[in-house]
Amino acid sequence: MKKDNRYDVSGLTEAQFEPGSNDQVLKNLLCITSPQTMDDAEARALGKVMAGLVGNEQVRADYGLLIWSIE
């Protein structure tokens, strides 16, 4: 086995990019092609998960940072 082929993952689904994203966004179920839109979607999803984990605390995503306050 050649060293340069050892970690070739180009044929795997996980290594495919969303068409129209200029190879900047991995293939996804939402067909998101913009890196900024993907960042926003990931931040919203993380906020929902965090809200579920912390119970009565309010969690929101602001500029990529998670901020929560106990009410």
Side-chain angles (χ1 to χ4, degrees), residues 13-27:
T13 304
E14 294 86 351
Q16 296 177 2
F17 292 97
E18 192 64 39
S21 72
N22 294 326
D23 292 348
Q24 294 182 3
V25 179
L26 291 174
K27 193 153 185 69

Side-chain angles (χ1 to χ4, degrees), residues 1-17 26-27:
M1 177 165 26
K2 291 183 181 180
K3 187 175 183 178
D4 58 325
N5 291 333
R6 185 172 181 184
Y7 297 107
D8 181 19
V9 295
S10 60
L12 298 178
T13 304
E14 294 86 351
Q16 296 177 2
F17 292 97
L26 291 174
K27 193 153 185 69

